[in-house]
Amino acid sequence: MQDVKTALQSARDRHLNELKDLLAIPSVSALPEHKKDVEEAAAWIANALKKIGMENVDIMPTEGHPVVYGDWLHAAGKPTVLIYGHYDVQPVDPLELWETPPFEADIRDEKIYARGATDDKGQVFMHLKAVETLMETYGELPVNVKFCIEGEEEIGSPHLDDFVDKHQQMLSADVLVISDNPMLEKGQPTVCYGLRGLAGLQIDVSGAKGDLHSGLYGGGVPNPLHALADLLASMHDNKGRISVDGFYDDVIALTAEEKEAYDALKYDEEATRAELDVPALYGEEGYTFLERTWVRPTLEINGMHGGFQGEGIKTVLPSKASAKISCRLVPGQDPDHILQLLEKHIEQHASRAVTVETTHFDKGKPFVTPFDHPAIQAAGAALSKAYGAETAYTRMGGSLPIAETFSDMLDIPIVLMGFGLPTENFHAPNEHFHLENFDKGLEAICDYYNTLAETLE
Amino acid sequence: MQDVKTALQSARDRHLNELKDLLAIPSVSALPEHKKDVEEAAAWIANALKKIGMENVDIMPTEGHPVVYGDWLHAAGKPTVLIYGHYDVQPVDPLELWETPPFEADIRDEKIYARGATDDKGQVFMHLKAVETLMETYGELPVNVKFCIEGEEEIGSPHLDDFVDKHQQMLSADVLVISDNPMLEKGQPTVCYGLRGLAGLQIDVSGAKGDLHSGLYGGGVPNPLHALADLLASMHDNKGRISVDGFYDDVIALTAEEKEAYDALKYDEEATRAELDVPALYGEEGYTFLERTWVRPTLEINGMHGGFQGEGIKTVLPSKASAKISCRLVPGQDPDHILQLLEKHIEQHASRAVTVETTHFDKGKPFVTPFDHPAIQAAGAALSKAYGAETAYTRMGGSLPIAETFSDMLDIPIVLMGFGLPTENFHAPNEHFHLENFDKGLEAICDYYNTLAETLE
C-alpha cells in the first residue's frame, strides 16, 4: 500500500482541480431549467471513466436523467465490485445564505465548499480516483469493477428501479459499494448497515375561489391555512409520536443487541444540541437521539406556504395553502402502505369546509443488511487502518431509495462506506467536504479493493 | 334635486375619465418602492380639491404618508360635514390573477376594474364630484365641508391618531361621513353603525441555526413548521371558537333587538357559499354568518411560510417558519389587551425546543354608534330615495382603525355610507366597482347634504 499512498499524495493537487471542475456543473435534478447541466455532468463522468481506463462506457438514457456506466472486468477469478453514486445535486436556495457561490468550489480551512461537495459528487469522484490510482500503480485492478452513476438520486431515483431491472446482467456483482452517507463523526470511520426509507406527499388545501378581505369574511369562511395547520398538528401527539393510525404497526423493533451497541457509542446529545444551536433537541418520547434518527420513523413538514408573505401586514383570507411532508421509514414499513395511511388520516381529519388534494412524491424502501457479512467486515478493517481508529457499524437516518432495489434485484450485500460528516450541510447552504476524509477515504478504498480480492472469492 | 341629477348625468363621461387618472397611480402604501406614487396620489387629490373650489387645501406631512386637507366654510349657521377617505391602496399580488392590469382602469359590463376602484379611491372620488356638482349647480354648498383624505389606511393608519390629535380644531365638525365600506348586497342601500377593530401579529419561529437534511436529523430536532402549525392549531377549538384564554371576556354580547334585526335581513348563506365556491361556510358554532362576520371576534392566519416552496420535493428540515395572524375585534375588546393575551398564549403553548419571536402590527379599536342618530337617519333616507329601496342599518366586519379615533377625539357621530359591494374583490385581484352605485351614490350624497342642512342645525 505504500506505493498507493505515495501516488495519492503526488496527485492530490491534480485531483482537487479535477473535482472543482465537476462541482462547477449545476446539475440540479429537481429543476427543469438545469436539464442541460445535468446532461453535462453525465458527460463529465463518462469522460472521466474513459480516462481512467474503464471500458464499455456509456451514457444510458432513462425516461429522466441518464445513468452513466463503465466497467473493467479483467481480474479473472476475482470478485466484482459494483460502485453506485449520483452526479446530481440538490437545489441551492436560499442562495443568499451561501458564503461563496455554490457552483464555484472554494477550499478554506481544509474543506472544499460547493453544492455536491459531500453529496455526492465528492465521494463519487473518490471512487474514480481510487480506481485510477490502483490502475496506474499496479497496471491492473485487484478486483473487477463496475460503475453505475445516476442523475436522479436527489429527486428519488424515479427511473433507477426500471433501469436496474432491465440491466440485471450488466450490473451483476458480488458486492455493491456506496459512498453517499456520512461518517458518525469527525475521525470516526463508519460502515453503515441500514438506512431509512422515504415517502413524500404534497397537501394542497383550497378554500374560497379567490383571496378574500378578512374584515368582510373573517370568521365566516374556511381559512385554508388554519385547516392545513390543524391537519398537520393532528399528525403528532404531544409526546412527539406520529398519530396516524397504524403508522407504527409494521415497524421492526430495535433488538437489545442493537440498542446496546448504539448506547456504547456514548453519543453526545448535548454537543449536537449546542452545534445546532436549538434550545432543546426534540423527538419521540422514550428514545435517544440516535434511535430517533436511525431506527424510528418520522413525519416532517419540509415546506409550507399560503397567503401573504411580504413585509408588514395584509389582512387577506387566503384561498389556498400548501405543505410538503415526508416520512422517513424503517425496516418493516412499506412506503406505499404508509402513503395509504396518510391519505386515510387526511381524509378523516381535514376540515369538511375546504378541498384537500394530495400528490405523492418519492418513495424509498428502508434497507438493512447483517453487519457480520465479510464484505462489510473488510470495509471496516480498511477504514480502521486508514484512520487509525475503530470502525463503528451503524444504521443511519437518511434514505437511499435504491438500496432495497439493488438488494432485491441483484441479491448482493451492500456496503455503505461514507466519507461525509453530518455537519457538512447536506441539502443546505454552504455544503462542504473535509479534505481529511478525501485523503484517508481514498487510501481506505484502495486498501479495501486489495483486501476484497482475497476475502470475497 | 332634478337639476343636480341632470348635472350628474351630463358630466358622467368626464367623471369616469378623471377617476381613471386617479386609479392609474399605484399608490401602494405598504411597499416602500411606491413612496413616490403615494405622493403623486396625494398631489392629485389636493389638485382636485382646489379645482372644485375647496379652500385651505394642503398636503400635510406626517411621519409616514401625508394627509390631504381642504375645506369650504361659507354656509353660515349650517352644520359642518367632515369627509374622511384614503387615497392609498393594497398591494396587487398575485399579479398574474388580474384579468386587466391593476393600474389601467378598464370598464366592462358596467363595472370599473382597477386596484382602488372600490377601496377607496372610487368612493373618495364620488365625494369630490358630489361637492363639485352641488357647487356648480347652486353656486354654493348647503353645508360646510371639510375633506380629510389620508394615505395610510391600508397599513393601519399609524400616524392618523397623532394627526387628528394635533388638528382637532381644524377637523372639528358635526358629522363625519366615511364611504369605505360595502353595501350589504347589490341594490340594497346600507348605512353601517358599527365596525370591528383589528390587532395583528407576526410569529417567527426558529429552530436549528441552518436548514438540515431530514434524513440525518429528521425525528431528532425541532421542526419550526411543526411547532408553528401546533401553535396555530392551538388557537381554535374544534367548534371554531378561539382558545386564547380571556379572548372573549370583554365582548359586549349582541342584544336581542340586534339579533332580530339581522335575522330580518334573511341573509342567504347558501348563496354566499355558492358564490365563494367553498364546500361549506365555517366559523364559530352557534352563530349565523352575519353574526360571525359582524359582531363576533376572529383570529385568522393571513400568511404563513417556511422551508421548501418550489416544485417537487426537497427533504429539508427548515430552520425558520413564520406566520402573520390578525384578529378582528368587536366592541368591548381592546387591541392592546388582546395582543397581550395572544402573547401569553404563545408563551404558554409554543414548543420549548424552538425560539419564538413576535412583532405587533396594526391596531384598530372597534366602533359602534347608535343607529337612531339623526345624521344616520338622514343618510338612510337619502339612500332610500336614490335607490328606491329600504335602507338596511347594519354593522360590518371590516376595520376602520380611525373610526374610534375620530369618535373619541372629535366627539362626533360617524356615518358609514359605503357604495362598494362585498363581491368587488377588495384587497384581491380584479378589484372593481359597480357604476350603478357610482351613479346612485352620487345622487344620494348630494341629497344627503341638502337634507343635513335642515336636520342637523
Side-chain angles (χ1 to χ4, degrees):
Chain A
M1 270 295 291
Q2 189 50 51
D3 37 4
V4 166
K5 282 192 196 177
T6 307
L8 286 171
Q9 278 157 13
S10 67
R12 189 174 189 258
D13 286 350
R14 174 176 61 84
H15 286 172
L16 291 177
N17 283 332
E18 288 177 22
L19 176 56
K20 283 181 179 178
D21 286 346
L22 175 57
L23 293 171
I25 307 169
S27 48
V28 181
S29 52
L31 303 174
E33 61 266 36
H34 284 289
K35 190 170 189 313
K36 283 276 168 208
D37 302 313
V38 176
E39 281 170 19
E40 188 188 338
W44 196 100
I45 296 289
N47 195 39
L49 286 171
K50 283 178 198 160
K51 275 193 193 160
I52 64 171
M54 294 299 101
E55 300 167 350
N56 302 309
V57 173
D58 199 4
I59 298 174
M60 304 179 75
T62 72
E63 279 179 42
H65 303 303
V67 175
V68 186
Y69 177 83
D71 62 30
W72 187 93
L73 305 172
H74 304 295
K78 296 294 177 186
T80 299
V81 178
L82 175 63
I83 299 161
Y84 165 88
H86 63 93
Y87 61 82
D88 65 321
V89 297
Q90 281 276 324
V92 297
D93 59 290
L95 189 59
E96 67 274 16
L97 297 186
W98 286 79
E99 282 170 26
T100 50
F103 298 111
E104 297 173 23
D106 184 53
I107 296 180
R108 48 186 191 269
D109 201 18
E110 281 301 294
K111 296 161 204 150
I112 184 163
Y113 285 80
R115 173 57 86 226
T118 183
D119 179 16
D120 182 41
K121 284 174 173 173
Q123 301 194 56
V124 164
F125 182 76
M126 287 166 69
H127 281 280
L128 293 173
K129 295 299 110 175
V131 165
E132 180 183 48
T133 304
L134 289 169
M135 192 80 97
E136 285 179 354
T137 306
Y138 304 125
E140 62 177 3
L141 297 179
V143 290
N144 300 293
V145 163
K146 297 178 176 181
F147 282 90
C148 172
I149 313 298
E150 74 147 321
E152 301 192 307
E153 198 274 343
E154 298 296 5
I155 52 171
S157 304
H159 304 105
L160 200 76
D161 272 24
D162 187 51
F163 182 86
V164 174
D165 188 34
K166 280 190 182 141
H167 300 96
Q168 294 193 24
Q169 181 70 29
M170 180 182 85
L171 298 170
S172 69
D174 298 294
V175 58
L176 172 62
V177 175
I178 304 177
S179 297
D180 190 25
N181 59 308
M183 299 161 58
L184 196 53
E185 60 182 77
K186 202 165 180 308
Q188 167 68 73
T190 308
V191 169
C192 178
Y193 69 96
L195 285 162
R196 293 195 286 193
L198 183 69
L201 193 69
Q202 177 163 324
I203 307 175
D204 295 297
V205 180
S206 303
K209 66 181 176 184
D211 287 356
L212 299 173
H213 187 292
S214 80
L216 294 178
Y217 291 98
V221 296
N223 181 327
L225 276 170
H226 276 295
L228 187 54
D230 285 350
L231 185 59
L232 293 169
S234 78
M235 292 182 178
H236 285 90
D237 67 16
N238 61 7
K239 301 189 169 181
R241 205 175 147 84
I242 296 156
S243 312
V244 175
D245 266 359
F247 190 85
Y248 294 100
D249 283 359
D250 299 326
V251 170
I252 298 171
L254 190 64
T255 64
E257 288 74 17
E258 283 178 297
K259 182 159 176 55
E260 207 171 294
Y262 301 163
D263 289 348
L265 291 170
K266 300 197 183 306
Y267 187 80
D268 187 345
E269 297 200 358
E270 168 54 22
T272 298
R273 187 209 62 72
E275 162 70 24
L276 298 176
D277 196 20
V278 282
L281 294 178
Y282 179 78
E284 192 183 356
E285 210 171 275
Y287 292 91
T288 66
F289 178 79
L290 285 188
E291 288 163 7
R292 287 168 176 173
T293 54
W294 287 3
V295 299
R296 296 299 296 171
T298 70
L299 187 160
E300 299 278 4
I301 313 174
N302 303 121
M304 179 167 173
H305 71 280
F308 183 62
Q309 302 189 27
E311 262 188 65
I313 188 169
K314 185 180 176 192
T315 51
V316 68
L317 259 184
S319 67
K320 291 181 185 306
S322 294
K324 294 170 196 283
I325 62 175
S326 60
C327 295
R328 297 287 172 173
L329 307 179
V330 299
Q333 291 184 302
D334 175 70
D336 286 316
H337 181 60
I338 290 296
L339 287 173
Q340 280 172 19
L341 296 179
L342 288 174
E343 293 282 2
K344 200 170 156 194
H345 182 93
I346 292 166
E347 169 65 26
Q348 287 173 344
H349 289 80
S351 162
R352 293 288 170 262
V354 295
T355 306
V356 178
E357 285 178 11
T358 57
T359 310
H360 293 190
F361 289 133
D362 287 15
K363 290 174 286 187
K365 293 186 184 174
F367 163 74
V368 174
T369 200
F371 70 84
D372 55 0
H373 191 283
I376 288 181
Q377 292 301 315
L383 286 166
S384 289
K385 214 193 297 175
Y387 278 84
E390 277 300 304
T391 295
Y393 295 88
T394 70
R395 286 160 76 174
M396 288 194 182
S399 303
L400 279 180
I402 46 73
E404 185 77 8
T405 304
F406 280 108
S407 174
D408 276 2
M409 294 186 183
L410 304 181
D411 190 25
I412 49 171
I414 301 179
V415 176
L416 299 162
M417 52 191 307
F419 300 101
L421 290 178
T423 55
E424 288 177 336
N425 294 11
F426 276 65
H427 293 205
N430 303 311
E431 177 177 346
H432 57 280
F433 188 42
H434 283 66
L435 296 183
E436 173 197 349
N437 294 322
F438 181 78
D439 297 329
K440 292 186 177 164
L442 266 170
E443 269 181 46
I445 296 170
C446 291
D447 191 24
Y448 181 42
Y449 293 160
N450 277 332
T451 320
L452 266 189
E454 311 307 320
T455 58
L456 208 74
E457 281 183 281
Chain B
M1 271 295 290
Q2 190 49 51
D3 37 6
V4 167
K5 282 191 196 176
T6 308
L8 285 171
Q9 277 156 14
S10 68
R12 188 174 188 256
D13 286 349
R14 175 176 61 83
H15 286 171
L16 290 177
N17 284 331
E18 289 177 22
L19 176 56
K20 283 182 179 178
D21 287 347
L22 174 58
L23 293 172
I25 308 170
S27 49
V28 180
S29 51
L31 302 174
E33 61 266 34
H34 283 290
K35 190 170 190 311
K36 284 277 167 206
D37 302 313
V38 176
E39 282 170 18
E40 190 189 337
W44 196 100
I45 296 289
N47 194 41
L49 285 171
K50 283 177 200 163
K51 275 193 194 160
I52 65 170
M54 293 300 102
E55 299 166 353
N56 301 310
V57 173
D58 198 4
I59 298 174
M60 305 179 75
T62 71
E63 281 179 41
H65 302 303
V67 175
V68 185
Y69 177 84
D71 63 29
W72 187 92
L73 305 172
H74 304 293
K78 295 295 180 186
T80 301
V81 178
L82 174 64
I83 298 160
Y84 165 88
H86 63 93
Y87 62 81
D88 65 322
V89 297
Q90 280 277 324
V92 297
D93 57 290
L95 187 59
E96 68 273 17
L97 296 186
W98 286 78
E99 282 172 28
T100 51
F103 299 110
E104 296 173 25
D106 184 53
I107 296 180
R108 48 186 191 268
D109 199 18
E110 280 302 293
K111 296 161 204 152
I112 184 163
Y113 283 80
R115 172 57 89 226
T118 183
D119 178 19
D120 180 42
K121 284 174 173 173
Q123 301 195 57
V124 164
F125 182 77
M126 288 167 69
H127 282 279
L128 293 173
K129 296 300 110 174
V131 166
E132 180 184 48
T133 305
L134 289 169
M135 192 80 97
E136 284 178 354
T137 306
Y138 304 125
E140 60 176 7
L141 297 179
V143 291
N144 300 293
V145 162
K146 297 177 176 182
F147 281 91
C148 173
I149 312 298
E150 73 147 319
E152 301 192 306
E153 198 273 341
E154 298 296 4
I155 52 172
S157 303
H159 303 105
L160 200 75
D161 272 25
D162 186 53
F163 182 88
V164 174
D165 188 35
K166 279 188 183 143
H167 300 95
Q168 295 193 24
Q169 181 71 29
M170 180 183 87
L171 298 171
S172 69
D174 299 292
V175 59
L176 172 62
V177 175
I178 304 177
S179 297
D180 190 23
N181 59 308
M183 299 161 60
L184 196 52
E185 60 182 78
K186 201 162 181 314
Q188 167 68 72
T190 307
V191 169
C192 178
Y193 69 96
L195 285 163
R196 294 195 287 193
L198 184 67
L201 192 71
Q202 177 163 324
I203 307 175
D204 294 297
V205 180
S206 303
K209 67 181 176 185
D211 287 356
L212 299 173
H213 185 293
S214 81
L216 294 178
Y217 292 98
V221 296
N223 182 326
L225 275 170
H226 275 294
L228 187 54
D230 285 350
L231 185 60
L232 293 169
S234 78
M235 292 180 176
H236 285 90
D237 68 15
N238 60 8
K239 298 186 171 184
R241 205 174 147 83
I242 296 157
S243 312
V244 175
D245 264 1
F247 190 86
Y248 294 99
D249 282 0
D250 300 327
V251 170
I252 297 170
L254 191 64
T255 64
E257 288 75 16
E258 283 177 297
K259 183 161 176 53
E260 208 171 293
Y262 301 162
D263 289 347
L265 291 171
K266 299 197 186 307
Y267 187 80
D268 187 346
E269 297 200 359
E270 169 54 22
T272 298
R273 189 210 60 74
E275 163 70 24
L276 299 176
D277 196 20
V278 284
L281 295 178
Y282 180 77
E284 193 183 356
E285 208 171 279
Y287 293 90
T288 66
F289 178 80
L290 285 188
E291 289 163 3
R292 288 169 176 173
T293 54
W294 289 2
V295 299
R296 295 300 296 171
T298 69
L299 186 160
E300 297 278 4
I301 313 174
N302 303 121
M304 179 167 174
H305 71 282
F308 183 63
Q309 302 187 25
E311 262 187 66
I313 188 169
K314 185 180 176 192
T315 51
V316 68
L317 259 183
S319 66
K320 293 181 184 305
S322 294
K324 295 170 195 283
I325 62 175
S326 61
C327 294
R328 297 288 171 176
L329 307 179
V330 299
Q333 290 184 302
D334 174 70
D336 287 314
H337 181 60
I338 290 296
L339 286 174
Q340 279 171 20
L341 296 180
L342 287 175
E343 292 281 1
K344 201 170 154 193
H345 181 93
I346 291 166
E347 168 66 26
Q348 286 173 344
H349 289 79
S351 163
R352 293 288 169 263
V354 295
T355 307
V356 179
E357 286 177 12
T358 57
T359 310
H360 293 190
F361 289 133
D362 288 16
K363 289 175 288 189
K365 293 185 183 174
F367 164 74
V368 174
T369 200
F371 71 83
D372 54 0
H373 189 283
I376 287 180
Q377 292 301 317
L383 286 167
S384 289
K385 212 193 297 174
Y387 279 85
E390 278 299 306
T391 295
Y393 296 88
T394 70
R395 285 160 76 175
M396 288 197 183
S399 303
L400 278 181
I402 47 72
E404 185 76 8
T405 303
F406 280 109
S407 174
D408 275 2
M409 294 183 184
L410 304 181
D411 191 25
I412 49 173
I414 302 180
V415 177
L416 299 162
M417 52 192 305
F419 301 101
L421 289 177
T423 54
E424 287 177 336
N425 293 12
F426 277 65
H427 293 205
N430 302 313
E431 177 176 343
H432 57 278
F433 188 43
H434 282 68
L435 295 183
E436 172 195 351
N437 294 322
F438 180 81
D439 296 330
K440 291 185 177 164
L442 266 170
E443 268 183 44
I445 297 171
C446 292
D447 191 25
Y448 181 40
Y449 294 160
N450 278 332
T451 320
L452 265 189
E454 311 306 320
T455 57
L456 206 74
E457 280 182 283

